[in-house]
Amino acid sequence: MTTLDFEIERRRTFAIISHPDAGKTTMTEKLLLYSGMIQQAGSVTAKAGQSHAKSDWMSMEQQRGISISSSAMQFEYLGRHINLLDTPGHQDFSEDTYRVLTAVDSALMLLDAARGVQQQTEKLFAVCRNRGIPIFTFMNKLDRPAMDLFELLEQVETTLAIKCSPMTWPIGSGPDFQGVYDLYKKQVVLFERTSHGKFRAPVQMTSLEDPAIERLIGVQEAKQLREQVELIEGALEPFDFDAFMRGEMTPVFFGSAMNNFGVEGFLERFVDLAPQPQAVETTVGTVFPDAPFMGFVFKLQANMSRHHRDRTAYMRVVSGKFERGMEVFHTRTGRSIRLSRAHTLFAEERDSIEEAYPGDIVGLVNPGVFQIGDVVSVNPKIQLEGFPRFTPENFASVTPKDVSKRKAFRKGLEQLAEEGVVQVFYPTDGGRDPILGVVGQLQLEVFEHRMLEEYGVVIEIFPNSYRLVRWVAGDMSVMARFAKSVEDDKGRPVMLFRNSWDLDFAKEQYAGLEFLPQPQDMTVISRE
Ligand code: G4P
């Protein structure tokens, strides 16, 4: 086996998707803790002096306790090299999340067992489903009273249309939580409470038939557990690896991230089941991981660190070996470039990366060269088949409060739009202020905050009542009465409409024009 094959086989690249508060930050910390990456998991309770999870680093995130930007973490576990990409966890949806999910081979869906599938879980799940990637499920917070477990599984199955196959089964929940039964290893894994009323890692493992089990968990509980296990083993479909790989079945784990319950058990199965780096479709056909070097940019981030005020492009290695300093083609422009400034993306740390393999994420310092979806490769012809964007649903004019800041304002606008924080449209009907297009309101807040923090510009935002955007092909001059006429950052003609009635009316009136929910050369995911 070559080094390349060996490294490909041991790579696992995934992201955690969850609704805010389900415990993603806590889970991330515990995964890093179990892998030995961090000695002491930073507390999400954020008490003074305690460390934060390394993935949460932007000041607004720290203030609001949400994850806005994504970073990429690496850790080793049981001989596997794992890349964990952090996804934004806020209520509002942004393109950033989708882009991160284009760079992973599987996802962990984290649910609060008391709440089940929540709004944001559904949206993120839909993105994973769209990509057809395998999904793991972790039911968190079992140390608190949970929903009825069978109802919980049924809810996942019906809401998300995916079959559940439990890998573990909890013994009680809330104050009665005693551990899990590992259906794969056929072992009861028990936990102990410490004198401070807190749990700690598993202390005992035993089989279900062990007569000591009554003494350990209680007669009633042992009886119930045996019945439930019989029911699950009899009634639920056995785990089908192929169905999992197609995204039709999810292995389900139960535990409590905060108390380290079930995290290790999950990791052990994860490294077994999670797929290694997958092939990617390109304009020159399918590129397999053992092909010569190719990578694509899925995210841009300006001003990641106060020490380094520059732009970083996140590149996922798709095939071959990446070596720092290598000369490759930037295939969109056809230019030859040297990839010399390459670094890790573990929060604020910036260590150089000398080499990387398929599945790995490399941070490239980006002096304005890269755009989202760009390919770098030893083959000058390869491009991606079209990188998805989301259709904005809310629009607002924006202007700097102090006109003398116009230059900084323009720079921030361009860079933040390039990152996908917002989309920008420019009026063509005389108005001067650019219009921001976003899917969710929080994107506007992030924009406002970053404009101030990173570019020193106080801005004013004026939301308007437009809700629909259409790229228009044809002569639009006649249409100004019904819609707002703008152009996107590439100068393509665009119309904004207040509602679908206005749009339908325009379509009827101007049958000769085409109204596209996306520019023709781009794939856009529309949620309409
Ligand atoms: P997020 O990134 O998905 O938004 O969630 P995060 O990890 O920040 O966790 C959200 C809250 O849930 C935190 O509480 C965290 O301590 C708690 N939590 C995470 N995992 C568990 C678990 O297994 N059991 C229980 N009971 N709670 C869990 P918080 O209200 O932000 O702070 P605090 O009350 O813990 O101080």
Coordinates of all heavy atoms in Angstrom, one line a residue, residues 18-27 44-45 47 65 140-144 255-259, ligand 1:
S18 N -26.8 20.6 14.3 CA -27.7 20.6 15.4 C -28.4 21.9 15.5 O -28.0 22.9 15.0 CB -27.0 20.3 16.7 OG -26.1 21.4 17.0
H19 N -29.5 21.9 16.3 CA -30.2 23.1 16.6 C -29.4 23.8 17.7 O -28.8 23.1 18.5 CB -31.6 22.8 17.1 CG -32.5 24.0 17.2 ND1 -33.2 24.5 16.2 CD2 -32.9 24.7 18.3 CE1 -33.9 25.5 16.6 NE2 -33.7 25.7 17.9
P20 N -29.4 25.2 17.8 CA -28.7 25.8 18.9 C -29.1 25.2 20.3 O -30.3 24.9 20.5 CB -29.2 27.3 18.8 CG -29.6 27.5 17.4 CD -30.1 26.1 16.9
D21 N -28.1 25.1 21.1 CA -28.3 24.6 22.5 C -28.4 23.1 22.6 O -28.6 22.6 23.8 CB -29.6 25.2 23.1 CG -29.2 26.4 24.0 OD1 -28.0 26.7 24.1 OD2 -30.1 27.0 24.6
A22 N -28.4 22.4 21.5 CA -28.5 20.9 21.7 C -27.2 20.3 22.3 O -27.2 19.2 22.8 CB -28.7 20.3 20.3
G23 N -26.1 21.1 22.2 CA -24.9 20.7 22.9 C -23.7 20.5 21.9 O -22.8 19.8 22.2
K24 N -23.7 21.2 20.8 CA -22.7 21.0 19.8 C -21.3 21.4 20.3 O -20.3 20.7 20.1 CB -23.0 21.8 18.5 CG -22.0 21.6 17.4 CD -22.6 22.0 16.1 CE -22.8 23.5 16.0 NZ -21.6 24.3 16.0
T25 N -21.3 22.5 21.0 CA -20.0 23.0 21.5 C -19.5 22.0 22.5 O -18.3 21.7 22.5 CB -20.2 24.4 22.2 OG1 -20.9 25.2 21.3 CG2 -18.9 25.0 22.5
T26 N -20.3 21.6 23.4 CA -19.9 20.6 24.4 C -19.5 19.3 23.8 O -18.4 18.8 24.1 CB -21.2 20.3 25.3 OG1 -21.8 21.5 25.7 CG2 -20.7 19.6 26.6
M27 N -20.2 18.8 22.8 CA -19.8 17.6 22.1 C -18.4 17.8 21.4 O -17.6 16.9 21.5 CB -20.9 17.3 21.1 CG -20.7 15.9 20.4 SD -20.9 14.6 21.6 CE -20.8 13.1 20.6
V44 N -18.4 25.3 28.5 CA -19.3 26.2 27.8 C -20.1 27.1 28.7 O -20.8 28.0 28.3 CB -20.3 25.4 26.9 CG1 -19.6 25.0 25.6 CG2 -20.9 24.3 27.6
T45 N -20.0 26.8 30.0 CA -20.6 27.7 30.9 C -20.0 29.1 31.0 O -20.5 30.0 31.5 CB -20.6 27.1 32.4 OG1 -19.3 26.8 32.7 CG2 -21.5 25.9 32.5
K47 N -17.6 30.5 32.5 CA -17.3 31.3 33.8 C -15.9 31.9 33.6 O -15.1 31.5 32.9 CB -17.2 30.3 35.0 CG -18.6 29.6 35.1 CD -18.9 29.3 36.5 CE -20.3 28.8 36.6 NZ -20.5 27.5 36.0
G65 N -22.6 33.5 22.6 CA -22.6 32.1 22.8 C -23.1 31.3 21.6 O -23.7 30.2 21.7
N140 N -28.7 13.6 22.8 CA -27.9 14.2 23.9 C -28.8 14.5 25.1 O -30.0 14.5 25.1 CB -27.2 15.5 23.4 CG -26.1 16.0 24.4 OD1 -25.6 15.2 25.2 ND2 -25.8 17.3 24.4
K141 N -28.1 14.8 26.2 CA -28.8 15.3 27.5 C -29.7 14.2 28.1 O -30.7 14.6 28.7 CB -29.6 16.6 27.2 CG -28.7 17.7 26.6 CD -29.4 19.0 26.8 CE -28.6 20.1 26.0 NZ -29.2 21.5 26.2
L142 N -29.2 13.0 28.1 CA -30.0 11.9 28.7 C -30.0 12.0 30.3 O -30.8 11.4 30.9 CB -29.5 10.5 28.3 CG -30.2 9.8 27.2 CD1 -31.6 9.4 27.7 CD2 -30.4 10.6 25.9
D143 N -29.1 12.9 30.8 CA -29.1 13.1 32.2 C -30.2 14.0 32.6 O -30.5 14.1 33.8 CB -27.8 13.8 32.6 CG -27.6 15.1 31.9 OD1 -27.7 15.1 30.7 OD2 -27.3 16.1 32.6
R144 N -31.0 14.5 31.7 CA -32.2 15.2 31.9 C -33.4 14.4 31.5 O -33.2 13.6 30.6 CB -32.2 16.5 31.1 CG -31.2 17.5 31.6 CD -31.9 18.9 31.8 NE -30.9 19.9 32.0 CZ -30.6 20.8 31.1 NH1 -31.3 20.8 30.0 NH2 -29.7 21.8 31.3
G255 N -26.7 9.5 25.0 CA -25.7 9.8 26.0 C -25.8 11.2 26.5 O -26.9 11.9 26.3
S256 N -24.8 11.7 27.1 CA -24.8 13.0 27.6 C -23.4 13.6 27.4 O -22.5 13.2 28.1 CB -25.2 13.0 29.1 OG -24.8 14.2 29.7
A257 N -23.3 14.5 26.5 CA -22.0 15.1 26.2 C -21.4 15.7 27.4 O -20.2 15.5 27.7 CB -22.1 16.1 25.0
M258 N -22.2 16.4 28.1 CA -21.7 17.2 29.2 C -21.0 16.3 30.3 O -20.0 16.6 30.9 CB -22.8 18.0 29.9 CG -22.4 19.0 30.9 SD -23.7 20.0 31.4 CE -24.4 19.0 32.7
N259 N -21.6 15.1 30.4 CA -21.1 14.1 31.4 C -20.2 13.0 30.8 O -20.0 12.0 31.4 CB -22.3 13.5 32.1 CG -23.1 14.6 32.9 OD1 -22.6 15.1 33.8 ND2 -24.3 14.8 32.4
Ligands
G4P1 P1 -24.7 24.5 21.2 O1 -23.2 24.6 20.9 O2 -25.3 23.4 20.4 O3 -25.5 25.7 21.2 O4 -24.8 23.9 22.7 P2 -23.8 24.0 24.0 O5 -22.7 22.9 23.8 O6 -23.3 25.4 24.2 O7 -24.8 23.5 25.1 C1 -25.9 24.2 25.4 C2 -26.3 24.0 26.8 O8 -26.6 22.7 27.0 C3 -25.2 24.4 27.8 O9 -25.8 24.9 28.9 C4 -24.6 23.0 28.1 O10 -23.9 23.0 29.3 C5 -25.8 22.2 28.1 N1 -25.5 20.8 27.8 C6 -24.7 20.2 26.8 N2 -24.7 18.9 26.9 C7 -25.4 18.6 27.9 C8 -25.8 17.3 28.5 O11 -25.4 16.2 28.1 N3 -26.6 17.4 29.6 C9 -27.1 18.6 30.1 N4 -27.9 18.5 31.1 N5 -26.8 19.8 29.6 C10 -26.0 19.7 28.5 P3 -25.9 26.4 29.2 O12 -27.2 26.7 29.7 O13 -25.4 27.2 28.1 O14 -24.9 26.6 30.4 P4 -24.9 25.9 31.8 O15 -26.3 26.0 32.3 O16 -24.4 24.5 31.5 O17 -23.9 26.7 32.6

